[in-house]
Amino acid sequence: MKRPTLQQRIGPRALARSLAWLRICAIAGQSAAVLVCALWMKLDIPLLPLMVGIGLLAVFAVFAAWRLTQPWPIRQWETILHVAVDTLVLGYLLYFTGGASNPFITLLLMPIALSAAALPVGAVFMVAGLAGIAYLVLLFCYVPLPAPMHGTTPGGFSLHVVGMGVNFVITALLLGFFINRLARAVRLQQMEVQRVRERALRDEGILAIATQAAGAAHELNTPLSTMRTLLPELRREHAGDALLGEDLALLEGQVDRCRTILREMVAFGKAQLSQESELLTLTHFIHGCQERFQLLRPEADLQLTVDEEAKHIVLRTPPGLRHALLNLLNNAADASALNQSQVVALTVHRDGGWLELIVSDHGPGFTPTGELAVLGQSHKKTGLGIGLALAEATAERLEGELTTNNTENGAQMCLRLPLSVIATS
């Protein structure tokens, strides 16, 4: 599921959405108030003009609701236009019900309060100006309320005072509810900004490591070539020493392995720069990762499970996906080794429009916080502590997610990726 953007959480769209809900509440409340006053309390108020005004507001409410469903962004001027329509309709209704002497005149403050939480200062002044002009006009131009409005109820209170009490309750509830929603949107915005900042710092660290790795690969190629040349000569010179010959053969194999890793690093860098994806079936991709992992960790016992439904999916394999999976498998093997186990499990299955790669180990599990490793910080005694950070970065780049949780036998890491991004149609 996609996270809401900052523009959706706070700003003109958020304010327009709050105004839409407030408009619906206003239509219901105004209709009820007019009908109660005209039909139940028998007050002499202009019923037809008032119902026409409420009807116009209802028509605009339908239009505003439709506008919120459209994909194009809501501009600041458009939000101010919505506020202007609401203010004009409210002023029209107040004109026929006593103007500024109506206890509900303070409802003109509602759009100002909401705008102050979501719009710039200039826009707030514009909204406040509209409300102020409406109030000034209603001070002098209005249809007076009928005389019974200033009479008393059986409890001794005038209807005007009762109306002020009802208005206070309505204003308090509406302001509390909608301001709380906008304040929550501000908090979410701050959390999103913090998350983006942390991701930028992490990506900057990964880029620094990649730069150093490229330089190291270039510098290591020369000494490795020298060792690859000298080791066969040393083996020939000491052909009679069987024990030394075995050690030299092992060193020669390790040098070849280092050269292979360096070549893969260069090929991976070129693939990243070209952004070319490799078309592979999921079966071939997983088996390639399995072979590579068993070459790197021959002591590990990898238990592989692939759903039949997912086997024939054709992947547009991004260059970083294979390395992300190998990092997870390598971390799982290290975790299992902490509990004197060599078992690592990889489960691959399709969940609707998502592909899930689940790696399980038999290690001690994650810390109670359940947080992914921070770049450069590792809870293991060996390793650089960047495996999970790199895997998480790959997941986010592919619009997926990396989640972790503890199980009865150890820990589990789930790399969840959308098929719409990594698979062919």
Side-chain angles (χ1 to χ4, degrees), residues 46-374:
L47 180 60
L48 181 59
L50 292 175
M51 296 307 296
V52 169
I54 296 173
L56 292 175
L57 184 61
V59 172
F60 181 74
V62 173
F63 166 77
W66 169 84
R67 176 64 183 86
L68 286 171
T69 63
Q70 303 308 303
W72 57 84
I74 294 179
R75 305 296 181 184
Q76 180 178 303
W77 65 265
E78 192 174 353
T79 306
I80 296 175
L81 181 61
H82 286 203
V83 174
V85 172
D86 292 333
T87 303
L88 289 174
V89 173
L90 180 58
Y92 171 84
L93 297 177
L94 291 172
Y95 169 79
F96 287 103
T97 53
S101 64
N102 190 310
F104 291 97
I105 188 68
T106 55
L107 289 177
L108 287 172
L109 296 174
M110 188 70 64
I112 303 175
L114 296 179
S115 301
L119 296 179
V121 176
V124 176
F125 278 126
M126 292 182 64
V127 173
L130 289 172
I133 292 172
Y135 186 85
L136 288 174
V137 171
L138 291 172
L139 280 174
F140 305 101
C141 302
Y142 59 91
V143 176
L145 288 169
M149 279 296 297
H150 301 283
T152 58
T153 63
F157 293 99
S158 71
L159 293 177
H160 185 82
V161 173
V162 172
M164 291 176 61
V166 173
N167 176 51
F168 175 82
V169 172
I170 293 175
T171 303
L173 291 176
L174 292 179
L175 280 178
F177 177 73
F178 288 105
I179 294 298
N180 179 263
R181 286 185 60 184
L182 291 174
R184 181 174 177 271
V186 172
R187 290 193 296 270
L188 290 175
Q189 180 191 29
Q190 293 173 344
M191 293 172 58
E192 180 70 12
V193 169
Q194 179 65 25
R195 197 174 78 90
V196 170
R197 184 181 296 112
E198 291 175 355
R199 287 178 58 184
L201 291 174
R202 182 204 61 196
D203 292 343
E204 184 177 335
I206 292 174
L207 180 60
I209 292 174
T211 303
Q212 294 295 328
H218 179 72
E219 294 177 6
L220 287 173
N221 188 55
T222 299
L224 286 175
S225 298
T226 303
M227 286 187 285
R228 191 170 183 273
T229 302
L230 292 178
L231 284 171
E233 295 181 3
L234 289 174
R235 290 179 62 188
R236 286 193 297 270
E237 291 177 3
H238 300 83
D241 191 337
L243 184 59
L244 180 59
E246 291 179 0
D247 292 340
L248 291 174
L250 177 61
L251 286 175
E252 189 175 358
Q254 294 299 314
V255 169
D256 288 336
R257 179 180 174 184
C258 290
R259 285 172 56 86
T260 301
I261 293 173
L262 289 179
R263 284 195 296 267
E264 288 186 354
M265 287 175 60
V266 173
F268 173 68
K270 291 180 179 179
Q272 286 285 71
L273 290 175
S274 64
Q275 294 296 316
E276 293 180 358
S277 298
E278 186 180 7
L279 293 179
L280 290 174
T281 63
L282 182 62
T283 301
H284 285 87
F285 171 74
I286 295 298
H287 285 169
C289 293
Q290 181 184 18
E291 292 174 359
R292 177 64 179 155
F293 175 68
Q294 290 177 339
L295 178 63
L296 294 174
R297 305 295 294 264
E299 78 282 2
D301 179 16
L302 178 60
Q303 300 177 352
L304 177 62
T305 304
V306 183
D307 279 357
E308 291 294 330
E309 183 182 1
K311 283 185 177 180
H312 303 293
I313 296 175
V314 179
L315 300 179
R316 295 190 299 267
T317 312
L321 181 57
R322 180 180 286 106
H323 289 76
L325 182 56
L326 288 174
N327 280 331
L328 295 181
L329 291 172
N330 191 55
N331 280 348
D334 290 338
S336 294
L338 295 177
N339 278 355
Q340 309 302 317
S341 174
Q342 299 177 350
V343 178
V344 175
L346 172 60
T347 303
V348 183
H349 72 92
R350 178 174 183 172
D351 182 16
W354 296 80
L355 178 67
E356 292 187 348
L357 306 171
I358 303 174
V359 178
S360 305
D361 61 56
H362 287 199
F366 290 99
T367 58
T369 59
E371 296 179 354
L372 294 177
V374 178

